[in-house]
Amino acid sequence: MTVTHERPEVVVPQESTSRLVADRVTLGYGERTVVRDLSLAVPDHRVSVIVGANACGKSTLLRGMARLLRPAGGSVLLDGEAIHRLPSRQVARTLGLLPQSAVAPEGLTVTDLVSRGRHPHSGLLRRWSREDDEAVADALALTGTLDLADRPVDQLSGGQRQRVWVAMALAQRTDLLLLDEPTTYLDLAHQVELLDVLRDLNAARGTTIVMVLHELAMASRYADHLVAMQGGRVVAAGTPAEVVTPDVVRRVFDLECRVIEDPVSHTPLVVPVGRHHH
Amino acid sequence: MNATLLERHPDGTAAERVAVVRRARRAPRRRRRLVLAGLSVLLLAVFAARVLLGDFTFTVPDFFRILLGAEIPGATFILMESKLPRAVLGVLVGVAFGVGGAIFQATLRNPLASPDVIGVSLGASASAVVAIVLAGLEGGAVQAAAVLGAVGAAVLVRLVAGPGGTHHLVLAGIGMAAALLSVVHYVFTRADVWDAQLVLRWLTGSVGAADWPTIRLLALALLVLLPLVARATRALPLLELGEETATGLGAGRHQADLVLLLAVLLTAVGVAAAGPISFVAFLAGPIARLLMGGRTTLVGAALVGAVVVVGADYVADYLLADINFPTGVVTGALGAPFLLWLLATGRTGRRVA
C-alpha cells in the first residue's frame, strides 16, 4: 500500500505494522449482531478513517476496538493480546478514546477536565508532576485552547468544547487514539480546524489515529487509510484513491456519483449525481 | 518531534504554557482549602451549640469535666445520655448520608439520583419495619435487616433499570421508592401503638433516640467503610465524565458498581442507626458542589451532611417548646424547596454543558 499524501515529516515505515488488530470480531448489543466476523489491521503511525452509511456498524466497530463493547466472537488485539483481558488502566496508557457522547459535569474548568487525561499515568505513590503539567499544557496548546484554561467547559461554544475534549485525550499521551465522530455538531470551519489538529498530532508524534467520520469528503481528505463499511462488513480498505470509486460509493452509500480530484488536496472528491442534474 | 510542532506556537515557550496550567490548577485548590476549612469551623460551631446550649446550658469547663468522668447531678445525665450522643450520632449519620449521596449523584451524573430519592433508604426502612412488626424482631436484627433491605432495593433498581442511561435508573428508583413507601404504610396499619412509634422513626428518621451502643456500631462501620470509599473513589473524577470516557481513561469494568455498592452500604448503616433522615443525602452533595464552584468533593459533602443533621436536630429540639420533632421533619422542610428549585432550574437531567 502506498501513501498518497506527501508528508515529509512523517517517517512512514516501509512495511506497515499494526499494534491494534480486529481478528474475526463479532460485535452487537444483546441479541442484535451489528458487526459480524470482521477483521481489520490498523496501520501504525497513520490516520485511519472508517466511513459508511448510518447503522453500518462503524461506531460499533470503534467501540469494540476501544474495549467499550465485549466481542461476542473473535477478539480485538492490542500488541498481540486480547484487549478485553488487559487491565483497563494499562490499556489507557497506550490507547486513548474520545467517545461520541462526552458531557462534562457542570462548572468543571478546562484545565481540570484536561488534567483528568493524566489519570492512567497516576498512581498511589506517584503525585502530580512537572511531566503532567507539560502534557496538559501541550495538549491545550496543540488544540488552541490554552487561553481557555480556567474557563468552565459548559460556557464554551460547541467547537471550543470539542477541542477541549480532544485535548483531554491528547493529555493522555497515548500511541493510539480512537475518536468516534469527533466532528459531529461542528460547522465546516471547525471541522477542518479539528481534523488539522489531529493531522498535526499524527505528524508530530506519529500517533496512530482511528476515527469514524460521517463526511466522505473530509474522510478522503484526511485519511491515509480509508475503511468503507456496509452491513457490518468491510467493503473496501486502502488509500482514499483506492477506495473512493463510483462503484464503492454506490455499494456503501447507495449513491450514484462521479469522483474528481480535489483541487486543494489532490485526494478523491465525491460529486453526487442525484435525480435533478444530469 | 513534538517540540518542532509547538516551537512556532503562538502560546509562547513551554515554560510559559506550563505556568498557565499551574495557575489554572491552583485557583480551585485554594478555594477547596478555604471551603473545607470554613465548613470544619461551622461544624465545630454547630456541634458546640448543640451540646452546650438549649434549655440546659453548659459551660465549656463543665463540659470537659463531665466528659472526663465528673458527676454533676442532673447535668451529667443530660449531657452524656442526651445531648452528646445526639450530636455525635448526628455527625456520623451526616457523614454517611453526605458521602453516600454525593457518590451516587456524581457517578450517575444526576442530582436526583441520590439514595433517598431512588429508594435505597426506603429499602432499609421497609425491611426494618417488616422485621419489627411482621417478624417480631428487635435490636441488632432490625438494623441488619435495614442494611440488607437497602442493598436489596439498590440491586433491584439496578436490574429494573437495565443497561440504559441514568434517566432509567432515576425513574425505576422513584417507582421503587413509591412501592416501598406503600409497604411501610401497610405495615403501619398493622402495627400496635407501641410498634407504630418505632415504625414512624423508620419513616422520618431522627437522632433523638441516640444511644452509645448504636453510635459505637455506626462508628465501627464507618471506620471500615470510609477507607475503602477513599480508595475506590479515586476513580470518581473519571466516573463523573460518563461510563465510556471513564473506560477510555482506565476505569475498570465494574468500578462504577463497586463505588455505588460502597455508597449503598454507607447509606444503609446510616439508616440503620437513625432512620432515613430525609433529603440529607440529596442536599449535601449539591450544596458542597455549589460552595466549591462546581467540583465534586466528598469531604465537603461529608461536612455539609454533618452540619445539616446536627443543625436540624438542634432546631427540631428547640424550635417549639414542648414539642420534640424528629430530625427528618426539619431536613425534609429544607429539602423540599431545594428539590423544587432543581426542577425549576432544569438541573435534574444530565448535567449537560
Side-chain angles (χ1 to χ4, degrees):
Chain A
M1 186 181 359
T2 53
V3 177
T4 49
H5 312 290
E6 290 296 314
R7 290 179 204 288
E9 66 267 53
V10 187
V11 186
V12 178
Q14 279 309 300
E15 51 200 280
S16 179
T17 53
S18 294
R19 297 180 64 183
L20 184 64
V21 175
D23 183 22
R24 307 197 56 165
V25 76
T26 297
L27 297 160
Y29 305 90
E31 295 289 287
R32 195 164 60 91
T33 299
V34 180
V35 169
R36 199 184 299 272
D37 221 14
L38 183 150
S39 293
L40 178 73
V42 173
D44 293 339
H45 312 296
R46 309 279 177 77
V47 176
S48 295
V49 178
I50 307 173
V51 293
N54 290 335
C56 71
K58 53 191 192 298
S59 280
T60 305
L61 174 61
L62 194 87
R63 288 162 53 85
M65 290 201 292
R67 79 196 175 295
L68 296 179
L69 276 180
R70 188 170 272 268
S75 55
V76 173
L77 304 173
L78 177 64
D79 293 327
E81 291 191 68
I83 198 167
H84 294 89
R85 292 200 204 99
L86 292 170
S88 184
R89 266 170 80 84
Q90 187 189 324
V91 174
R93 283 183 220 124
T94 307
L95 183 143
L97 166 71
L98 185 62
Q100 211 176 102
S101 56
V103 179
E106 201 180 306
L108 196 72
T109 66
V110 168
T111 304
D112 198 341
L113 178 64
V114 175
S115 297
R116 291 181 189 191
R118 297 303 296 161
H119 194 273
H121 304 280
S122 72
L124 271 178
L125 299 173
R126 194 184 159 285
R127 292 180 60 87
W128 186 268
S129 69
R130 164 125 198 140
E131 192 192 337
D132 294 314
D133 276 329
E134 283 170 359
V136 173
D138 280 2
L140 291 172
L142 272 169
T143 51
T145 51
L146 194 68
D147 53 341
L148 306 174
D150 44 19
R151 295 265 301 278
V153 178
D154 52 13
Q155 287 175 16
L156 304 179
S157 72
Q160 290 172 325
R161 209 179 300 148
Q162 194 64 2
R163 277 184 287 150
V164 168
W165 280 103
V166 171
M168 188 199 73
L170 297 197
Q172 214 170 325
R173 287 212 169 152
T174 53
D175 294 338
L176 294 100
L177 182 56
L178 272 49
L179 306 98
D180 195 355
E181 302 213 16
T183 56
T184 321
Y185 308 123
L186 298 186
D187 59 39
L188 194 56
H190 284 123
Q191 289 183 29
V192 171
E193 196 179 86
L194 188 79
L195 293 170
D196 278 343
V197 166
L198 293 173
R199 278 247 66 121
D200 285 346
L201 179 76
N202 168 261
R205 291 193 200 145
T207 305
T208 305
I209 292 176
V210 185
M211 56 185 154
V212 168
L213 287 182
H214 219 70
E215 280 248 359
L216 195 51
M218 287 297 169
S220 46
R221 195 163 191 174
Y222 283 92
D224 297 319
H225 187 70
L226 195 61
V227 178
M229 284 182 68
Q230 200 268 320
R233 293 168 195 280
V234 172
V235 173
T239 64
E242 290 164 3
V243 171
V244 183
T245 62
D247 182 46
V248 170
V249 173
R250 192 181 309 117
R251 278 164 64 199
V252 172
F253 292 96
D254 192 21
L255 178 78
E256 289 298 326
C257 72
R258 291 196 204 141
V259 176
I260 59 172
E261 192 190 79
D262 184 324
V264 177
S265 63
H266 307 291
T267 51
L269 183 64
V270 168
V271 181
V273 173
R275 284 190 295 111
H276 293 278
H277 308 277
H278 285 287
Chain B
M1 276 196 287
N2 192 21
T4 48
L5 183 70
L6 286 167
E7 245 165 36
R8 53 178 191 274
H9 204 275
D11 288 324
T13 66
E16 285 164 355
R17 293 193 299 268
V18 165
V20 172
V21 169
R22 290 225 168 122
R23 228 177 2 257
R25 286 177 56 84
R26 211 155 27 219
R29 274 182 299 175
R30 193 178 307 127
R31 179 164 182 167
R32 180 188 151 84
R33 274 198 298 274
L34 264 168
V35 168
L36 293 187
L39 283 173
S40 303
V41 170
L42 184 63
L43 177 59
L44 209 62
V46 174
F47 189 89
R50 179 70 194 94
V51 172
L52 302 177
L53 306 180
D55 47 15
F56 198 110
T57 312
F58 291 87
T59 63
V60 175
D62 274 354
F63 169 76
F64 282 109
R65 223 171 296 151
I66 292 171
L67 206 59
L68 294 174
E71 285 287 342
I72 302 175
T76 299
F77 182 80
I78 289 176
L79 182 71
M80 296 307 285
E81 299 306 320
S82 171
K83 289 186 161 211
L84 193 59
R86 283 176 78 151
V88 173
L89 184 62
V91 170
L92 297 181
V93 168
V95 167
F97 287 159
V99 174
I103 289 177
F104 259 83
Q105 289 162 328
T107 309
L108 298 173
R109 299 148 54 81
N110 190 329
L112 273 184
S114 96
D116 44 1
V117 177
I118 63 168
V120 176
S121 310
L122 269 165
S125 299
S127 175
V129 299
V130 167
I132 293 169
V133 177
L134 302 185
L137 300 177
E138 51 187 275
V142 176
Q143 293 179 334
V147 172
L148 286 178
V151 175
V155 170
L156 214 57
V157 168
R158 187 91 195 78
L159 290 178
V160 170
T166 314
H167 270 85
H168 290 264
L169 200 101
V170 171
L171 288 177
I174 289 174
M176 176 69 67
L180 289 168
L181 192 61
S182 70
V183 169
V184 177
H185 283 304
Y186 168 74
V187 173
F188 192 59
T189 62
R190 298 277 307 264
D192 58 37
V193 178
W194 167 247
D195 281 347
Q197 278 300 316
L198 286 174
V199 170
L200 207 57
R201 191 173 88 86
W202 284 102
L203 206 52
T204 45
S206 179
V207 294
D211 59 62
W212 291 109
T214 303
I215 291 173
R216 265 194 291 279
L217 217 55
L218 178 58
L220 198 69
L222 293 185
L223 221 57
V224 173
L225 284 175
L226 288 178
L228 294 176
V229 168
R231 175 137 177 64
T233 52
R234 279 165 32 86
L236 205 60
L238 309 189
L239 297 176
E240 68 175 352
L241 299 178
E243 198 186 332
E244 299 194 341
T245 310
T247 305
L249 292 173
R253 250 171 19 103
H254 299 295
Q255 198 124 27
D257 288 333
L258 171 70
V259 168
L260 286 174
L261 178 66
L262 287 171
V264 168
L265 290 176
L266 274 179
T267 310
V269 297
V271 177
I277 301 176
S278 341
F279 286 133
V280 175
F282 171 65
L283 283 170
I287 290 177
R289 267 184 76 86
L290 223 57
L291 293 172
M292 301 288 277
R295 294 160 60 91
T296 298
T297 153
L298 294 184
V299 180
L303 290 170
V304 171
V307 167
V308 168
V309 175
V310 176
D313 180 46
Y314 185 70
V315 173
D317 206 4
Y318 299 118
L319 182 65
L320 292 177
D322 306 330
I323 301 180
N324 199 338
F325 288 113
T327 322
V329 171
V330 177
T331 55
L334 278 173
F338 187 73
L339 178 59
L340 290 176
W341 177 74
L342 274 182
L343 290 169
T345 52
R347 286 162 197 253
T348 52
R350 297 192 303 164
R351 289 195 298 238
V352 184

